[in-house]
Amino acid sequence: MITVKHVAQAAGVSPGTVSNALTGKRPVSPKTRSRIFQAIEELGYKPNLLARSLVNRRSHTIAIVTSEVEQFGPARILSGIDEQAEELGYSLLLTLMRNPAEEDVEQTITNLVARGVDGIIWAVHQVGNNRRWFTAERRKELPPIAFVTMEPKPGMAIVNTDNRAGAKMAVQHLISRERRVIGHIAGPLDWWEARERLHGWRATLADAGLENSDDLLVKGNWSAESGEAGLRQLLERRPDMDGIFLGNDQMAIGALQAAHRLGYAIPGDLALVGFDNIPESRYFWPPLTTIHQGLFEIGRVALQTIHDAIEESGASGERHITIQPELIVRESS
Amino acid sequence: MITVKHVAQAAGVSPGTVSNALTGKRPVSPKTRSRIFQAIEELGYKPNLLARSLVNRRSHTIAIVTSEVEQFGPARILSGIDEQAEELGYSLLLTLMRNPAEEDVEQTITNLVARGVDGIIWAVHQVGNNRRWFTAERRKELPPIAFVTMEPKPGMAIVNTDNRAGAKMAVQHLISRERRVIGHIAGPLDWWEARERLHGWRATLADAGLENSDDLLVKGNWSAESGEAGLRQLLERRPDMDGIFLGNDQMAIGALQAAHRLGYAIPGDLALVGFDNIPESRYFWPPLTTIHQGLFEIGRVALQTIHDAIEESGASGERHITIQPELIVRESS
DNA sequence: AGCGCCTGCTAAAACGTTTTAATCAGAGGT
DNA sequence: ACCTCTGATTAAAACGTTTTAGCAGGCGCT
């Protein structure tokens, strides 16, 4: 292995000077500078980033903790994070949590800190109380943390989609299509996003003077199965239903299938609006009207937020950033 | 920051002894041992893994380089890698390549090596000649590398799906459903997987004495759009076609939509078989018959392979592992 | 000529571990 | 009482960097 010592020797100079030339933090005369770089070139020297991190207390590594990366949402966010990370010169340490509700937060974080990450992006979905571990006191001892998709809390850095606004757009769109009995298949209500969308559905109907009783609501679990079951249940309770707002696109595809099997015409008998705008949604039958979230943008912004916090070398102060969603109209409504 | 020195002092012992107690590589008397652990507990000492990596030349970090993590395949593989990584005590350094064909392989690898990763899983799809960089000579200087989904090459560690076998199963299934004019919408042919599946389609038809001319073949690009366009094109050329094998499920969903618009009954007029078994495929309309790849398993095996190579502390010798796919019969055929 | 002041460099310390080589205490054997 | 051996402990070196403190020597100024 080629170290800074070898380079120093080859250039007839001390290791410290090589370091100075490399980092540029201290002046080095043009002559020796060029000798050093020539030696680096000849020897093919590559600095050892571990050693550098050790003394600098800066690893240029950011940890991202997430779950269900096989789903479109988390994956898209991850992609956005990566793009911004590359731009700012960070590497990414990835940790997947299979069971966010059960897993040991402390152990995960401890490992990351021991590895000297400069910051953490916590993109595990807020389910149940699994963020309760992050007390203000604990966070004081930790590198900056940015939370993705989580209920705003004072003193935390959080990046979100405006779920209520998205739900409002969806329901208003259905209303504009002359629908008057509009149901909702919600995600699991221990998820914050699901609650927000549900709230948006309810509030918008109330504002429009339309019914929003629990009769029109069924709880799913994000899966296509639950969308299918949910639709059947809703139609049984309310055969007069003429529009549905689905908590996500996966449930929408299940609901579409159920509607076909039951012989409902889409959008004639029943108009559907989803949430997420997964790539396939354009190819559902019929193509799905849905709410586009700027997930990639969320990822980028989350990383940028962490970066800013690191640069200020302060704990991540409070900053709540909300990305606005967008309505994508297709043939299902 | 609490270091091993503080612990040593608190336990009235030298830093070396603390290390011995911690690693267990050298004997330490029960009395001092318990004193040390008590001190660790009281002070809340957490070893700094960077420093440890530096001296051990072992970071317990494995790099995974991949692309298009927003797609089901790569994401599922990643998930498998992560599970096995957690089991074996590795952390994962993730690098996403946006443009596998263009990006600078050398720079990426250099960065990973400089960060001291113990091994690399190269899961970037083999497109064009982007693996040409990995000559035997270069690999000698690098930590062990496992390649995922790539043409077998002597001296390399490679984990694969048996794409030809999968294609064969798909086509044989269509034949068993009394289909006699069976088309294929292939993935982009600079992808190795696409070529393998195409070959499987061709060979199986030939073996059965059925037509396999280029008339029945169209080239897509994995996207639903290209599946839609491909189906229209095929049906225009061959209105007598009664079965299609699609290179992946995304193209299948596009083809399904085109078939609906053209008024073809599925599977009555036309039977479809996809490839990948993405979660949504079960909810296509009609549900899609497809080939299940053990992608999660591929990820697990890839990581295990790297681990084995590391343990033998040799360069990754040749090992070609092939995972067998499986036919999932649903209503589209 | 003497004084201070830059400029460019070096030797040594530091980062937080583990490992090596040496030392020390005590047990056991004669 | 002496010697040897063994097992536990330590001081110091090492890993590959950067940073600190200090040291020459040239320059300009009085």
Side-chain angles (χ1 to χ4, degrees):
Chain A
M1 174 162 217
I2 303 292
T3 79
V4 77
K5 266 186 192 163
H6 302 126
V7 174
Q9 191 171 10
V13 93
S14 87
T17 306
V18 174
S19 175
N20 290 339
L22 234 35
T23 62
K25 289 187 188 169
R26 258 154 237 296
V28 122
S29 83
K31 275 171 275 180
T32 54
R33 210 186 110 86
S34 78
R35 274 214 318 284
I36 288 173
F37 277 106
Q38 189 182 343
I40 287 179
E41 192 66 30
E42 279 170 9
L43 299 176
Y45 165 73
K46 305 275 187 275
N48 179 324
L49 299 187
L50 255 53
R52 193 174 271 181
S53 301
L54 186 57
V55 43
N56 280 344
R57 309 170 119 52
R58 197 61 196 281
S59 64
H60 289 274
T61 302
I62 285 185
I64 146 94
V65 186
T66 184
S67 63
E68 315 194 45
V69 77
E70 297 162 40
Q71 293 203 8
F72 178 71
R76 182 86 183 144
I77 292 174
L78 181 56
S79 190
I81 291 173
D82 178 85
E83 176 164 300
Q84 193 69 10
E86 185 172 346
E87 195 156 307
L88 296 178
Y90 290 101
S91 285
L92 249 38
L93 207 53
L94 180 71
T95 306
L96 260 38
M97 288 198 139
R98 239 150 281 284
N99 292 310
E102 301 169 15
E103 222 135 344
D104 189 356
V105 175
E106 174 140 8
Q107 183 183 323
T108 302
I109 296 285
T110 299
N111 176 260
L112 296 177
V113 171
R115 290 190 119 91
V117 300
D118 294 341
I120 300 176
I121 295 181
W122 189 261
V124 179
H125 286 104
Q126 174 184 1
V127 35
N129 238 338
N130 69 349
R131 98 181 117 50
R132 147 188 60 188
W133 186 85
F134 295 96
T135 61
E137 203 175 346
R138 284 215 178 86
R139 280 182 296 121
K140 223 169 277 166
E141 311 288 313
L142 297 175
I145 308 182
F147 295 87
V148 167
T149 297
M150 174 181 280
E151 182 176 3
K153 282 281 177 193
M156 289 185 161
I158 301 182
V159 186
N160 263 334
T161 290
D162 191 337
N163 286 286
R164 292 194 187 192
K168 184 173 178 181
M169 291 162 79
V171 174
Q172 280 184 337
H173 170 70
L174 285 168
I175 294 173
S176 80
R177 290 292 201 256
E178 262 92 50
R179 309 300 157 141
R180 291 298 172 262
V181 184
I182 301 174
H184 179 45
I185 302 184
L189 293 182
D190 49 352
W191 287 53
W192 177 71
E193 294 97 317
R195 291 198 300 275
E196 288 289 293
R197 291 172 199 173
L198 168 58
H199 181 278
W201 168 77
R202 214 163 229 151
T204 310
L205 288 179
D207 286 352
L210 294 176
E211 177 185 354
N212 68 1
S213 73
D214 282 356
D215 221 26
L216 287 169
L217 170 68
V218 68
K219 180 181 157 183
N221 65 2
W222 297 138
S223 76
E225 281 92 335
S226 73
E228 182 174 9
L231 186 84
R232 288 176 190 277
Q233 208 175 327
L234 275 180
L235 282 175
E236 209 164 295
R237 294 210 291 246
R238 297 296 298 258
D240 59 331
M241 189 171 63
D242 54 8
I244 310 190
F245 166 47
L246 288 302
N248 74 349
D249 287 357
Q250 315 281 332
M251 296 196 295
I253 195 175
L256 277 173
Q257 187 166 101
H260 289 137
R261 293 202 194 271
L262 296 172
Y264 278 75
I266 311 283
D269 300 333
L270 203 56
L272 267 66
V273 178
F275 207 112
D276 272 0
N277 191 26
I278 65 176
E280 290 83 6
S281 65
R282 187 175 157 194
Y283 289 91
F284 289 179
W285 183 244
L288 184 69
T289 295
T290 189
I291 302 293
H292 176 86
Q293 302 190 62
L295 294 167
F296 192 84
E297 188 64 12
I298 286 186
R300 287 190 66 118
V301 169
L303 195 116
Q304 183 68 49
T305 302
I306 280 293
H307 174 70
D308 294 348
I310 294 170
E311 290 295 293
E312 298 167 14
S313 75
S316 50
E318 170 163 339
R319 42 198 116 188
H320 295 167
I321 299 169
T322 303
I323 310 283
Q324 286 305 318
E326 192 182 339
L327 174 71
I328 310 284
V329 179
R330 299 205 187 96
E331 299 172 33
S332 73
S333 64
Chain B
M1 176 164 214
I2 302 292
T3 79
V4 77
K5 265 185 194 165
H6 302 127
V7 174
Q9 192 172 10
V13 93
S14 87
T17 306
V18 175
S19 174
N20 291 339
L22 236 34
T23 64
K25 290 188 186 166
R26 255 155 238 296
V28 97
S29 85
K31 275 172 274 176
T32 55
R33 211 186 109 86
S34 78
R35 274 215 318 285
I36 288 173
F37 278 106
Q38 188 183 342
I40 287 178
E41 191 66 32
E42 279 171 9
L43 298 176
Y45 165 74
K46 305 277 187 272
N48 178 324
L49 299 186
L50 256 52
R52 194 175 270 180
S53 300
L54 186 58
V55 44
N56 281 345
R57 310 171 118 51
R58 200 59 197 283
S59 64
H60 290 274
T61 301
I62 286 184
I64 147 91
V65 186
T66 184
S67 62
E68 315 194 44
V69 78
E70 297 161 42
Q71 293 203 8
F72 178 71
R76 181 86 181 142
I77 292 174
L78 182 56
S79 190
I81 290 173
D82 179 83
E83 176 164 301
Q84 193 69 10
E86 186 172 345
E87 194 155 307
L88 297 176
Y90 290 102
S91 285
L92 249 39
L93 207 54
L94 179 71
T95 306
L96 259 38
M97 287 198 140
R98 240 151 278 284
N99 291 308
E102 302 169 14
E103 222 135 343
D104 189 355
V105 175
E106 174 141 8
Q107 182 185 323
T108 303
I109 296 285
T110 299
N111 176 260
L112 297 177
V113 171
R115 291 191 118 91
V117 300
D118 294 340
I120 300 175
I121 296 181
W122 189 260
V124 179
H125 286 103
Q126 175 184 1
V127 34
N129 238 338
N130 67 352
R131 102 182 115 45
R132 147 189 60 188
W133 187 85
F134 294 96
T135 60
E137 202 175 347
R138 284 216 178 84
R139 279 183 297 123
K140 221 169 278 163
E141 312 289 313
L142 297 176
I145 308 183
F147 294 87
V148 166
T149 298
M150 174 182 279
E151 183 176 3
K153 283 280 178 193
M156 287 184 163
I158 300 183
V159 186
N160 263 334
T161 289
D162 191 338
N163 286 286
R164 291 193 189 194
K168 185 173 177 181
M169 292 163 80
V171 174
Q172 280 183 338
H173 170 70
L174 284 169
I175 294 173
S176 80
R177 290 293 201 255
E178 262 92 51
R179 308 302 157 140
R180 291 299 171 261
V181 184
I182 300 174
H184 179 45
I185 303 184
L189 293 181
D190 49 353
W191 287 54
W192 176 71
E193 293 96 318
R195 292 199 300 275
E196 289 289 292
R197 291 171 200 175
L198 168 58
H199 181 280
W201 167 76
R202 210 160 233 152
T204 310
L205 287 179
D207 286 354
L210 293 177
E211 177 185 353
N212 68 2
S213 73
D214 282 355
D215 221 25
L216 287 170
L217 171 67
V218 69
K219 180 180 157 185
N221 66 1
W222 297 138
S223 76
E225 282 92 334
S226 74
E228 180 174 11
L231 186 85
R232 288 174 190 277
Q233 208 175 330
L234 276 179
L235 283 175
E236 207 165 296
R237 294 209 293 246
R238 296 296 298 259
D240 58 331
M241 188 172 65
D242 55 7
I244 309 191
F245 166 47
L246 287 303
N248 74 349
D249 287 356
Q250 313 282 332
M251 297 196 295
I253 195 176
L256 277 173
Q257 186 166 98
H260 288 139
R261 294 201 194 270
L262 295 171
Y264 279 76
I266 312 284
D269 301 333
L270 203 55
L272 267 66
V273 179
F275 205 110
D276 272 0
N277 190 27
I278 64 175
E280 290 83 7
S281 65
R282 187 174 158 198
Y283 289 90
F284 289 179
W285 183 247
L288 184 70
T289 295
T290 189
I291 302 293
H292 177 84
Q293 303 188 61
L295 294 168
F296 193 83
E297 187 65 14
I298 286 186
R300 287 190 65 117
V301 169
L303 195 117
Q304 184 67 49
T305 302
I306 280 292
H307 175 70
D308 293 348
I310 294 170
E311 290 296 292
E312 297 167 14
S313 76
S316 50
E318 171 162 337
R319 43 199 112 183
H320 295 167
I321 299 169
T322 304
I323 310 284
Q324 287 303 319
E326 191 183 338
L327 175 70
I328 310 285
V329 179
R330 299 206 187 94
E331 300 172 31
S332 73
S333 64

